[in-house]
Amino acid sequence: MSGRCILHLRFVLPVDPDPELPERLRRLLEDFTPRVQLIEPDMAVLDLTGALLYWKRDARSVTELVQLWALAFFGLRSSAGVAPHRMLAAMACALTGPGRRTVIDDSPEAITAFLRRRPVLELPGVGAKAADTLTEYGLHSVGDVADVPQLTLQRLLGARAGRARHERARGPRHHDRRSHPGAGERQCRDQLGAGPIGLWDL
């Protein structure tokens, strides 16, 4: 993985966790990268892009190490999804069992292969009602949604929702990278250092 590397973790928490566990867990994760966001008591997102160079390991190896440390220090098993984009990492994590990890390479072929075969309900932003509408018209997978004209989705789901679902089904966009080489990475570093991980949001 030569581009961005986003790690999405879901932890198996004890029934009655220590109130200080989230902060202690954050400090552990920040030993790997300062770019950490705890988005739920049992979920965290890390930008490992720079950490891969520091640790001199690939994405899978660093992820295994993160999961091993969480287990060793806190007894927490975790599921992990790794991808070049937050949406993909979250989708990969949702499909992965505790103690395992799913890594999606940053090549267009790998991203397309992962997305196209997923059921339409797994696409972020598609709820049960929208999924029922799409499947009623024969759109059962993310690949089906990506293949239909955007105008068709807008007629089915509404202008804004149809456009958003079509763009997500076709995979993450990298406008900053295409138009200004390096600008996307600089913006990511600036925003992550300043506060919430705005550039990761869809």
Side-chain angles (χ1 to χ4, degrees):
M1 185 172 289
S2 58
R4 293 182 63 204
C5 180
I6 307 301
L7 167 60
H8 188 111
L9 290 166
R10 184 178 70 253
F11 298 98
V12 180
L13 297 181
V15 176
D16 188 18
D18 182 346
E20 296 183 0
L21 179 60
E23 184 56 33
R24 295 171 62 197
L25 182 58
R26 179 196 296 276
R27 291 199 297 267
L28 175 72
L29 298 177
E30 287 177 345
D31 285 341
F32 290 90
T33 172
R35 301 180 179 122
V36 175
Q37 185 181 35
L38 295 179
I39 54 177
E40 295 287 348
D42 63 339
M43 290 189 187
V45 181
L46 294 74
D47 186 338
L48 295 179
T49 307
L52 300 184
L53 295 175
Y54 177 82
W55 289 90
K56 297 180 180 179
R57 295 170 177 249
D58 62 16
R60 182 176 295 275
S61 296
V62 172
T63 299
E64 290 173 348
L65 194 58
V66 172
Q67 291 180 285
L68 179 62
W69 281 29
L71 182 63
F73 283 94
F74 302 118
L76 295 179
R77 300 182 71 208
S78 61
S79 304
V82 184
H85 190 274
R86 180 172 181 162
M87 179 190 81
L88 295 173
M91 292 177 69
C93 182
L95 300 170
T96 306
R100 304 184 67 85
R101 61 217 56 85
T102 298
V103 179
I104 304 172
D105 193 35
D106 58 354
S107 70
E109 295 79 11
I111 293 171
T112 298
F114 173 79
L115 278 175
R116 288 190 65 84
R117 64 178 183 268
R118 304 314 318 161
V120 69
L121 188 58
E122 293 181 11
L123 190 65
V126 175
K129 183 177 179 180
D132 288 343
T133 298
L134 293 171
T135 55
E136 182 180 347
Y137 285 88
L139 305 177
H140 300 281
S141 68
V142 174
D144 293 335
V145 175
D147 290 341
V148 300
Q150 179 177 299
L151 183 58
T152 300
L153 287 182
Q154 290 178 309
R155 287 172 175 167
L156 294 176
L157 305 176
R160 183 176 181 180
R163 181 176 63 254
R165 295 346 174 235
H166 192 252
E167 290 174 349
R168 291 178 182 181
R170 298 183 67 185
R173 296 166 299 168
H174 301 283
H175 295 313
D176 288 332
R177 253 183 218 179
R178 285 199 299 264
S179 56
H180 304 287
E185 288 81 354
R186 288 194 298 272
Q187 184 180 0
C188 180
R189 288 196 296 269
D190 292 342
Q191 291 192 7
L192 287 172
I197 309 175
L199 190 62
W200 294 1
D201 296 329
L202 297 175

